């Protein structure tokens, strides 16, 4: 029997080849020994403050608040160095890799955001870095590919299958197994085999810790916290400090693509079933044979057919509500925030913002709502500019 500590309810576990067992055991041992030492936490906190630019503000969006008739606060993860929450985790894992004596980190990437964050951390901490990226993604995201190379990383383009994130992840896992003694695999979201989901939540929980103390400082109480969900790391990061407080409603927003009743979405919890993907038991989008379905979202960061196992559990016990919004909804929300507040959010984050449109009219009393703005939209300007001009939808 596997020990329960690797599970969240019935989700999680370590569904990996025997050859990778050594690496996850080594990682778990190192995490237990290193992560909570004063030396590690002091160094990590120093980097978060002086390098990443934390704490990020909890900003009262007054114009958006009067638009919706509720008090809306934005957790500004878009203001982090490199433009999103991903650096919190990439820096944490790369620092852990260094303490473990590893010489090289590897990472998978879709749009290139996690690849850039990992390449950044590797440059800072002096480690080698290989980033696995599907050939199609590498073409779509040439600028990020260049950015990673400029940061000194080696970008490995994958030509299997659909040549996107799922294949890149599979290739990264293979590369990790091949060089397991010297390489540390930096996973980009709260996914993968135990102990990854716990380690990544640990690094991202800074978002929730800051939010909680910022709410206390402002002497306000959140009724709702909303975050977008790809693999689920920014959401779990902000939710983590509030899960035990049942008076705070937590909402995860998935990518509904062209609509969850079409074939073109990435709404894993809304439409998926239990299955196994990338070393974990979780909810996955699959066909009747258990084959992973292709996914679609306008936001590359949400375009994933699985979800972190803890989210699968939080959904099952109904502690977090998971909803989906469409590409259209997200683009409209991006435009609204930009016009009202002068903040251009990432299209991923715009999914969380878009849910305000659905939630606010249903509330019978004035409520306080925190939205996690997981990243900035600069990377998405091409997509927004060309939206529905025929370049995205063929
Ligand atoms: C990658 C990314 C996401 C999705 O990842 P999670 O692990 O679900 O947080 C969301 N927002 C931005 C800006 C991203 O870059």
């Amino acid at each position: 029997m596997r020990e329960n500590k690797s599970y969240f309810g019935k989700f999680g576990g370590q569904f990996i080849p025997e050859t990778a067992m050594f690496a996850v055991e080594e990682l778990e041992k190192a995490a237990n020994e290193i992560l909570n030492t004063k030396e590690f936490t002091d160094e990590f906190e120093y980097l978060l403050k002086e390098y990443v630019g934390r704490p990020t503000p909890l900003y009262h969006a007054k114009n958006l608040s009067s638009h919706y008739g509720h008090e809306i606060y934005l957790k500004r993860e878009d203001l982090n160095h490199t433009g999103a929450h991903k650096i919190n985790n990439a820096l944490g894992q790369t620092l852990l890799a260094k303490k473990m004596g590893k010489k090289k980190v590897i990472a998978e990437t879709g749009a290139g955001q996690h690849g850039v964050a990992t390449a950044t951390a590797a440059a800072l901490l002096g480690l080698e870095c290989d980033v696995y990226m599907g050939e199609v993604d590498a073409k779509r995201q040439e600028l990020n590919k260049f950015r990673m190379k400029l940061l000194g990383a080696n970008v490995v383009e994958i030509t299997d299958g659909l040549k996107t994130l799922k294949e890149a992840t599979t290739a990264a896992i293979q590369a990790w197994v091949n060089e397991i003694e010297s390489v540390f695999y930096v996973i980009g979201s709260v996914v993968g085999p135990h102990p990854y989901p716990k380690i990544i939540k640990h690094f991202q929980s800074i978002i929730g810790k800051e939010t909680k103390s910022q709410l206390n400082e402002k002497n306000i109480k959140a009724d709702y916290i909303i975050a977008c969900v790809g693999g689920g790391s920014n959401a779990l990061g902000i939710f983590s400090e509030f899960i035990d407080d049942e008076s705070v409603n937590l909402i995860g927003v998935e990518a509904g693509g062209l609509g969850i009743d079409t074939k073109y979405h990435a709404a894993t919890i809304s439409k998926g079933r239990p299955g196994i993907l990338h070393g974990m038991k979780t909810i996955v989008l699959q066909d009747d044979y258990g084959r992973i379905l292709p996914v679609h979202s306008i936001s590359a960061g949400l375009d994933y057919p699985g979800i972190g196992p803890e989210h699968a559990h939080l959904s099952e016990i109904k502690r977090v509500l998971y909803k989906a919004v469409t590409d259209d909804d997200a683009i409209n929300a991006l435009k609204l925030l930009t016009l009202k507040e002068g903040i251009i959010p990432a299209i991923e984050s715009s999914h969380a913002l878009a849910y305000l449109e659905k939630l606010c009219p249903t509330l019978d009393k004035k409520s306080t709502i925190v939205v996690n703005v997981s990243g900035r939209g600069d990377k998405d300007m091409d997509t927004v500019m060309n939206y529905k001009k025929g370049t995205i939808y063929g």
Side-chain angles (χ1 to χ4, degrees):
M1 270 297 280
R2 288 197 169 82
E3 286 177 78
N4 265 340
K5 66 177 181 180
S6 73
Y7 278 79
F8 306 94
K10 63 182 195 221
F11 299 105
Q14 292 180 326
F15 295 84
I16 51 174
E18 268 326 298
T19 45
M21 235 14 131
F22 161 77
V24 290
E25 277 163 13
E26 184 197 35
L27 174 61
E28 180 160 26
K29 190 164 164 280
N32 287 339
E33 283 171 7
I34 297 171
L35 284 192
N36 290 314
T37 61
K38 186 168 174 339
E39 188 198 338
F40 187 90
T41 43
D42 282 355
E43 194 168 346
F44 186 50
E45 279 168 17
Y46 173 82
L47 290 173
L48 288 179
K49 178 165 178 272
E50 302 288 335
Y51 184 74
V52 176
R54 304 202 70 96
T56 59
L58 181 68
Y59 168 68
H60 186 203
K62 291 206 179 78
N63 300 332
L64 198 66
S65 297
S66 57
H67 177 81
Y68 282 121
H70 296 282
E71 296 309 329
I72 295 166
Y73 289 82
L74 306 176
K75 182 59 176 162
R76 299 286 312 274
E77 290 300 295
D78 58 310
L79 294 177
N80 286 327
H81 176 48
T82 69
H85 69 291
K86 284 202 171 73
I87 190 73
N88 303 329
N89 167 52
L91 201 52
Q93 283 189 66
T94 305
L95 188 61
L96 179 60
K98 189 167 180 176
K99 301 285 174 202
M100 287 168 73
K102 303 284 182 181
K103 297 281 175 271
K104 190 202 268 185
V105 289
I106 63 172
E108 81 292 341
T109 199
Q113 296 306 109
H114 173 56
V116 168
T118 307
T120 300
L124 176 71
L125 298 173
L127 298 188
E128 285 173 55
C129 178
D130 287 353
V131 179
Y132 290 78
M133 191 173 196
E135 195 183 43
V136 168
D137 288 337
K139 237 181 227 107
R140 277 196 293 217
Q141 302 289 338
E142 256 205 296
L143 198 61
N144 272 344
K145 183 175 124 185
F146 179 72
R147 216 171 253 155
M148 289 183 268
K149 288 186 162 176
L150 197 58
L151 287 159
N154 175 31
V155 179
V156 185
E157 291 187 35
I158 303 305
T159 55
D160 301 328
L162 294 177
K163 306 175 183 149
T164 59
L165 178 60
K166 181 165 74 71
E167 291 79 20
T169 305
T170 305
I173 293 172
Q174 190 56 51
W176 179 47
V177 169
N178 290 347
E179 275 189 276
I180 217 142
E181 308 262 341
S182 57
V183 156
F184 186 105
Y185 180 22
V186 178
I187 295 185
S189 188
V190 282
V191 299
H194 172 79
Y196 276 106
K198 287 195 172 144
I199 290 175
I200 294 149
K201 178 186 178 185
H202 174 81
F203 291 134
Q204 292 293 5
S205 66
I206 184 72
I207 307 173
K209 290 190 181 112
E210 284 177 9
T211 303
K212 193 172 194 173
S213 73
Q214 288 164 328
L215 285 167
N216 286 342
E217 269 164 35
K218 294 180 201 295
N219 210 4
I220 45 180
K221 192 195 158 306
D223 300 304
Y224 292 85
I225 299 179
I226 309 177
C228 67
V229 181
S233 67
N234 85 86
L236 213 47
I238 194 163
F239 292 168
S240 59
E241 296 299 307
F242 300 90
I243 288 174
D244 293 337
D245 181 354
E246 297 276 343
S247 71
V248 185
N249 297 287
L250 306 175
I251 303 174
V253 185
E254 299 191 309
L258 303 191
I260 59 170
D261 295 321
T262 71
K263 280 193 279 186
Y264 305 98
H265 64 76
T268 307
I269 290 208
S270 308
K271 302 296 275 190
R273 285 180 290 117
I276 288 166
L277 177 66
H278 297 145
M280 58 182 164
K281 182 170 185 203
T282 186
I283 309 277
V284 292
L285 288 167
Q286 54 189 307
D287 67 12
D288 291 342
Y289 296 94
R291 290 176 301 206
I292 305 303
L293 290 170
V295 278
H296 164 86
S297 168
I298 189 174
S299 65
L302 304 185
D303 211 354
Y304 183 65
I307 188 162
E310 189 166 0
H311 283 289
H313 177 61
L314 289 169
S315 168
E316 187 154 280
I317 63 170
K318 299 196 158 56
R319 176 61 190 98
V320 179
L321 196 64
Y322 295 84
K323 296 285 183 185
V325 302
T326 64
D327 290 352
D328 275 347
D329 297 335
I331 293 290
N332 289 336
L334 180 147
K335 289 181 178 159
L336 184 71
L337 186 67
T338 303
L339 281 174
K340 291 284 175 199
E341 299 285 348
I343 296 170
I344 307 180
I347 304 181
E348 289 85 358
S349 325
S350 302
H351 284 70
L353 292 158
Y355 194 68
L356 290 170
E357 198 75 29
K358 300 186 194 285
L359 177 69
C360 291
T362 68
L363 303 175
D364 47 23
K365 68 169 185 25
K366 197 170 176 106
S367 302
T368 298
I369 307 170
V370 176
V371 182
N372 197 24
V373 180
S374 53
R376 67 179 181 226
D378 304 46
K379 69 184 176 60
D380 296 319
M381 286 304 94
D382 262 3
T383 309
V384 178
M385 205 156 61
N386 293 317
Y387 187 60
K388 295 214 158 153
K389 273 192 194 153
T391 48
I392 298 165
Y393 295 104

